[in-house]
Amino acid sequence: MRLGTLDNGKGNSDHLLRFEKGVVCTALPVASVASLRKAHPAHPAAANVIDQQVVEADFVVSAMAD
């Protein structure tokens, strides 16, 4: 499986995603991780970010934190 992560850009979301990646990679056979970040927390992810996740990942985990 190929894991994708999408950081929404809020404070501490990178820490939450790092934890989630560790849990998923321990529990499942993950071959690769494609980690992307939105440009701004208040705006949707750009189309090219979504397109890249579609190509590089079988499933995506998104995180938001403060």
Side-chain angles (χ1 to χ4, degrees):
M1 275 187 264
R2 300 170 303 151
L3 169 63
T5 63
L6 181 58
D7 185 332
N8 79 335
K10 286 190 171 189
N12 295 318
S13 58
D14 57 334
H15 300 291
L16 179 58
L17 278 173
R18 192 172 322 119
F19 173 77
E20 290 176 346
K21 283 190 280 189
V23 170
V24 171
C25 290
T26 300
L28 300 171
V30 176
S32 65
V33 179
S35 299
L36 297 176
R37 184 178 177 102
K38 288 177 28 176
H40 191 277
H43 300 141
N48 66 318
V49 171
I50 301 298
D51 291 343
Q52 186 175 349
Q53 290 286 25
V54 168
V55 170
E56 296 181 2
D58 298 313
F59 67 102
V60 176
V61 175
S62 182
M64 61 180 91
D66 276 327

